[in-house]
Amino acid sequence: MFELHHLTALEQWQWLHEGRLEPRDLVEHYLARIERINDDVGAFTVVEAQRAREAAQRVVREVPRTAPLWGLPIADKELVPRAGQRTTFGSRLFAEHLPEQSDELVRHLDDAGAISLGATAAPEFGLPSYTESLVAPPARTPFALDRGAGGSSGGAAVAVAAGLLPFAPGSDGGGSIRIPAAACGLVGLKPSRGRIPAGSGLDRPAGLVVPGPLARTVADAALMLDALVSAAPWEFATRAPSPHDGPFLGAAVRGEGRFQLGVMTSTPWEGFTDITIALEARDALTTAIAGFERLGHSVDDLTLPAEPDYARHFRTVWMAGAAGIPARTDDELALLEPLTAWLVGQGRALPATALAEALTWLTGFERRVIRHLGTVDIVVTPALAMTPRPLGWFDAQDPERNFAQQVQYTPWTSFVNVAGLPALTLPIGLTGADSEVPGVPMGVQLIGRPGGEADLLALGAQWERAHPERLHPPQW
């Protein structure tokens, strides 16, 4: 039986503009699904039903229909404050926090005509690559409820995959959009550094964190990307190059171009811990490469030169970023989870010279990576090294082991943030009956040149045209 969530975000947008739907219709449909399904999957931590209904009325009354996301439901990631909405940052430290001001990204999405239904789950301060905090139930991939959804945009990914939202904004500082997208069978897009006005990355240490979309199709991801790009005037002295013409949605719809692809399984984390690529991840990569070749693309192998200092310097910046978490007293520190408390302690003990050295080294690494990967149009890696991990798999007590486990799970994401490059997770298929966990999604990661989002979207669109079946979990 047809239901509204079976429409893509772009199809819903078209129905809204044709008068076949009103924003309140979508709001009520998704609120009903959230009420029925959310307790099983852990997507939402806050549901603002009445506020969403009022926002739908405001959009109809006050927002021009030309707004890029007019009438489409979304949700705020739990790390992004909305005035008057409980925002915990995934931490017991902020369990009842009601922010007085909204984040810039929230304001821009409101101005774009989107309607927030609440907040989606995230791990404590967005630091881990899985969404299992002590302040909310875990986010579960809807394809296997005993498996985690990844992180840190885990709740957003679950909401989209389970049909609780048409698409959702996330943020990505080391893979936090791409990891949960891969675990939930979605398209996840990390934009280039300097692409999004409300989250350029230029104002963060090492420029790691940028916002981006999680969606069921490449075109839906492009629709949200266009809205994020056009949401506000640019306020920095530099921004990502734009070699394409027109909106990104055009590239996603046309799906044009023939590309030189480089297939890469090496990672700068080699030497830090043992990294084993699961058979399911290799199968997804092999399937993707064969499909790209059938589409007429040229494929070569590519190896990232060894970078034995990468782990030390990336960890330094990650720890330094945690040092600013506002937990000062012993009672406040006791509310933090062991991994966060360890990162905070390590970060606050760092000498300024270590951080300065790390930032300088990572800048040089960025240039080396861009120069090396620039020999091809798009780099293809596995999205994850393993299937979605069982709930509780990451060590909750030993932070060093926990960090190593995260690297083993997702060794190809963080270096893309350091290099400031765009990257897109593309779902390829479900694991087979012979897998350790049958029927869960596996995908690949596409890495573009600086400002190369249009090429990633075009290649993803070509894959979707050749493989029109979509991955849907039982809740669909």
Side-chain angles (χ1 to χ4, degrees):
M1 182 182 71
F2 169 78
E3 296 189 70
L4 288 177
H5 65 277
H6 296 164
L7 297 171
T8 67
L10 182 58
E11 289 168 342
Q12 291 180 20
W13 185 88
Q14 290 168 335
W15 279 34
L16 286 167
H17 284 266
E18 292 168 359
R20 301 171 68 179
L21 279 177
E22 291 293 329
R24 65 175 178 270
D25 299 326
L26 290 173
V27 166
E28 294 298 342
H29 176 76
Y30 283 112
L31 286 175
R33 285 187 61 78
I34 292 167
E35 183 176 4
R36 188 168 70 252
I37 296 171
N38 187 62
D39 285 350
D40 294 332
V41 296
F44 280 79
T45 55
V46 177
V47 180
E48 293 275 13
Q50 186 55 36
R51 193 169 182 172
R53 295 183 177 109
E54 293 169 358
Q57 295 175 348
R58 179 189 65 82
V59 164
V60 171
R61 188 174 61 247
E62 300 177 12
V63 179
R65 294 176 72 93
T66 53
L69 302 181
W70 192 87
L72 292 173
I74 61 163
D76 309 309
K77 185 175 176 179
E78 182 73 349
L79 307 180
V80 183
R82 178 179 290 273
Q85 176 176 285
R86 182 170 65 91
T87 306
T88 69
F89 304 100
S91 176
R92 293 177 297 179
L93 187 63
F94 285 87
E96 302 301 327
H97 175 60
L98 289 176
E100 297 180 359
Q101 292 185 329
S102 295
D103 186 88
E104 184 180 13
L105 182 66
V106 165
R107 299 195 303 270
H108 288 179
L109 287 167
D110 287 350
D111 291 343
I115 300 167
S116 176
L117 306 188
T120 55
E124 191 164 46
F125 298 105
L127 293 169
S129 61
Y130 57 97
T131 304
E132 301 173 33
S133 78
L134 295 179
V135 78
R140 307 167 184 265
T141 177
F143 290 86
L145 295 180
D146 62 340
R147 300 270 164 163
S152 65
S153 304
V158 173
V160 178
L164 309 186
L165 287 174
F167 54 8
S171 57
D172 193 314
S176 289
I177 288 171
R178 292 158 287 155
I179 296 164
C184 294
L186 301 176
V187 174
L189 176 60
K190 180 202 107 51
S192 301
R193 182 183 300 131
R195 176 65 73 197
I196 309 298
S200 68
L202 299 172
D203 55 349
R204 301 291 187 94
L208 298 180
V209 184
V210 294
L214 295 105
R216 288 190 288 118
T217 70
V218 170
D220 286 355
L223 178 65
M224 180 173 284
L225 178 62
D226 281 331
L228 293 172
V229 169
S230 63
W234 190 255
E235 297 176 339
F236 296 88
T238 185
R239 69 182 307 168
S242 298
H244 73 293
D245 296 320
F248 288 108
L249 182 58
V253 170
R254 292 190 302 270
E256 297 173 342
R258 291 292 177 266
F259 304 109
Q260 176 69 45
L261 307 181
V263 182
M264 190 176 83
T265 58
S266 56
T267 162
W269 289 106
E270 288 168 1
F272 171 73
T273 187
D274 291 334
I275 295 171
T276 301
I277 305 175
L279 179 61
E280 296 89 343
R282 289 193 181 276
D283 286 347
L285 182 63
T286 300
T287 299
I289 294 308
F292 292 145
E293 288 181 323
R294 285 194 297 271
L295 290 168
H297 302 288
S298 178
V299 178
D300 287 316
D301 291 331
L302 187 67
T303 301
L304 196 65
E307 293 281 359
D309 294 325
Y310 175 83
R312 174 167 61 93
H313 292 306
F314 182 85
R315 279 161 53 101
T316 293
V317 170
W318 205 249
M319 292 167 175
I325 288 172
R328 295 293 174 184
T329 68
D330 289 343
D331 288 344
E332 290 173 339
L333 290 168
L335 292 174
L336 299 179
E337 298 174 25
L339 174 66
T340 307
W342 174 71
L343 289 169
V344 168
Q346 295 291 313
R348 291 177 182 174
L350 284 170
T353 52
L355 178 57
E357 180 188 2
L359 292 171
T360 300
W361 189 93
L362 291 174
T363 299
F365 173 82
E366 173 185 343
R367 297 182 67 184
R368 293 193 297 276
V369 167
I370 291 174
R371 186 165 55 244
H372 185 73
L373 301 190
T375 58
V376 298
D377 298 313
I378 295 172
V379 176
V380 186
T381 76
L384 301 171
M386 307 176 184
T387 57
R389 295 292 79 202
L391 294 174
W393 184 79
F394 294 95
D395 196 309
Q397 301 302 321
D398 184 342
E400 283 279 11
R401 181 168 183 263
N402 181 297
F403 195 96
Q405 288 175 308
Q406 294 186 61
V407 171
Q408 291 165 351
Y409 182 40
T410 175
W412 297 285
T413 53
S414 67
F415 85 89
V416 183
N417 297 78
V418 173
L421 296 172
L424 182 144
T425 296
L426 189 66
I428 299 302
L430 300 178
T431 56
D434 57 344
S435 170
E436 59 153 349
V437 52
V440 296
M442 296 300 292
V444 295
Q445 175 182 233
L446 310 178
I447 306 170
R449 290 173 170 171
E453 287 92 337
D455 286 349
L456 301 180
L457 293 165
L459 182 59
Q462 293 176 26
W463 174 270
E464 288 181 343
R465 277 203 298 263
H467 304 83
E469 65 282 357
R470 295 189 186 128
L471 309 183
H472 295 311
Q475 298 85 351
W476 194 251

